[in-house]
Amino acid sequence: AKAAGRNGYHFYTTGMHAEALKRLELDRWLREAIERNELSLAFQPKVNLKTRDYTGAEVLLRWYRPEQGFISPAEFIPLAEETGLIKELGMWVVRRACQQLSEWRGTPLSHIRLAINLSAIQLEDKELVHKIDNLLREFDVPPRQLEFELTEEVFIQNIESNMAHLNELIKMGFRLSIDDFGVGYSSLAYLKHFPISCIKIDRSFVSQLETNADDRVIINAVIAMAHNLNLSVVAEGVETEAQAAYLQKQGCDEAQGYLFAKPLPPDQLYKLATSLRNG
Ligand code: C2E
Ligand code: CA
Ligand code: CA
Ligand code: CA
């Protein structure tokens, strides 16, 4: 950019300025999103690779702004993490998920386990565990119906306070899993110290496994290591039968991806569950 001279430099700063403005605007919209009722939850089923039975679903936040259409979480979650708004958004997700579970009581989705994404930033909140506990009581949800997906940074930064919070969550009866495994950090030492029950292999290792031998080597190693540590393994982003067959052959326990189901609004997940039950 420097070599481009004066005009190039000018162009560069204008670009940054536009980007900064866009983020400011997005941040302002996001702050209105809860009140304007623009947020909702989508549920993506996980399946047992051997039996192909549904084992639960991941909760994914959706934002529909009438003026703009759907805005991707890949765009607004990182921004919310930077500004700290994720603490509020994240609690909204836990509340809505608990409320949904209470609405599903007495239906075929009565005992479904939901996996909720928790950002590292949310764990900084000293009141997090207490707030989650209150929501469980409010909606009468047993902890075994909730699982939390945590990315690797949780195990690398603020280790002492994160460990304390995670141990509290474990004591309360929640399951914890490591999300996007393999993309974040190279240290594996944390696996020994944290009370984790499941590893989710990142989609980037799955999407090209049919043609990329390195991806297959990494997947095999992760599955072997996880099983030796008594952890179960979920593969994310499974889109083809060939990928599912390979992962199953390697002993991967569960999978998630468009091959089985896209993230669904609650009524569609409900229809799927009732159609399964009725044959
Ligand atoms: P993630 O936790 O890794 O979630 C999986 C993402 O992969 C989702 O994208 C899902 O729709 C997508 N996906 C699932 N199956 C397939 C597939 O077969 N192929 C492809 N190409 N994609 C697939 P989504 O919903 O756009 O979410 C993106 C990220 O935003 C999530 O990645 C997660 O990091 C974050 N996110 C979403 N909801 C929440 C939330 O409630 N809280 C927090 N902290 N983060 C969230
Ligand atoms: Ca996740
Ligand atoms: Ca993931
Ligand atoms: Ca991922």
Side-chain angles (χ1 to χ4, degrees):
K2 265 183 200 159
R6 226 215 218 128
N7 290 335
Y9 178 71
H10 183 69
F11 175 77
Y12 185 59
T13 49
T14 309
M16 297 228 311
H17 188 57
E19 182 62 24
L21 271 181
K22 195 184 149 201
R23 289 160 54 80
L24 258 176
E25 193 171 45
L26 202 62
D27 179 51
R28 189 162 48 81
W29 293 347
L30 194 51
R31 286 172 196 278
E32 302 167 347
I34 294 181
E35 274 179 48
R36 292 182 28 155
N37 208 11
E38 293 170 349
L39 300 176
S40 62
L41 300 183
F43 301 86
Q44 186 177 37
K46 299 184 185 185
V47 304
N48 176 314
L49 267 172
K50 249 187 232 149
T51 64
R52 302 289 167 110
D53 290 330
Y54 294 109
T55 57
E58 178 175 1
V59 176
L60 294 158
L61 188 53
R62 293 290 174 263
W63 178 18
Y64 182 82
R65 187 170 161 94
E67 300 88 341
Q68 272 75 29
F70 279 102
I71 302 174
S72 166
E75 198 173 339
F76 69 80
I77 295 283
L79 179 67
E81 287 174 338
E82 267 173 57
T83 63
L85 192 63
I86 190 69
K87 290 179 186 163
E88 206 181 318
L89 283 183
M91 281 321 296
W92 185 89
V93 171
V94 180
R95 161 173 285 278
R96 285 289 303 133
C98 289
Q99 191 179 355
Q100 189 62 72
L101 285 173
S102 78
E103 285 169 20
W104 278 333
R105 198 143 304 134
T107 77
L109 289 170
S110 211
H111 302 292
I112 187 175
R113 187 162 67 209
L114 296 180
I116 297 176
N117 293 287
L118 277 191
S119 292
I121 311 288
Q122 290 178 259
L123 281 176
E124 287 171 8
D125 182 356
K126 302 257 175 303
E127 292 293 301
L128 177 77
V129 177
H130 180 64
K131 287 175 187 166
I132 293 175
D133 191 40
N134 281 344
L135 287 173
L136 290 190
R137 288 169 205 277
E138 181 178 344
F139 294 101
D140 199 17
V141 169
R144 65 182 137 76
Q145 275 197 279
L146 289 187
E147 174 177 339
F148 294 105
E149 298 190 0
L150 309 149
T151 49
E152 290 169 276
E153 67 209 275
V154 166
F155 308 99
I156 310 288
Q157 295 156 2
N158 302 322
I159 297 184
E160 262 171 47
S161 81
N162 285 350
M163 173 98 91
H165 287 139
L166 295 181
N167 278 326
E168 282 182 72
L169 290 173
I170 288 288
K171 253 193 272 157
M172 287 167 67
F174 300 108
R175 267 172 60 110
L176 304 180
S177 55
I178 305 175
D179 206 357
D180 303 339
F181 187 79
V183 294
Y185 294 86
S186 52
S187 167
L188 296 172
Y190 69 86
L191 288 173
K192 287 196 300 188
H193 306 299
F194 283 99
I196 295 148
S197 36
C198 173
I199 284 178
K200 293 187 79 178
I201 300 179
D202 191 64
R203 173 159 59 92
S204 59
F205 300 110
V206 173
S207 56
Q208 281 138 49
L209 72 81
E210 289 157 74
T211 51
N212 189 322
D214 290 346
D215 284 343
R216 293 196 294 276
V217 169
I218 292 169
I219 285 173
N220 299 353
V222 170
I223 294 172
M225 179 191 69
H227 285 166
N228 281 322
L229 292 168
N230 276 321
L231 306 174
S232 74
V233 188
V234 179
E236 53 173 45
V238 176
E239 295 183 353
T240 69
E241 185 51 52
Q243 290 165 356
Y246 181 82
L247 289 159
Q248 186 194 337
K249 197 173 108 224
Q250 296 306 317
C252 182
D253 304 288
E254 291 174 44
Q256 212 183 328
Y258 297 166
L259 173 67
F260 308 108
K262 294 210 162 170
L264 304 169
D267 56 320
Q268 282 187 39
L269 186 76
Y270 183 82
K271 268 186 213 150
L272 184 69
T274 42
S275 72
L276 287 177
R277 167 159 295 191
N278 300 327

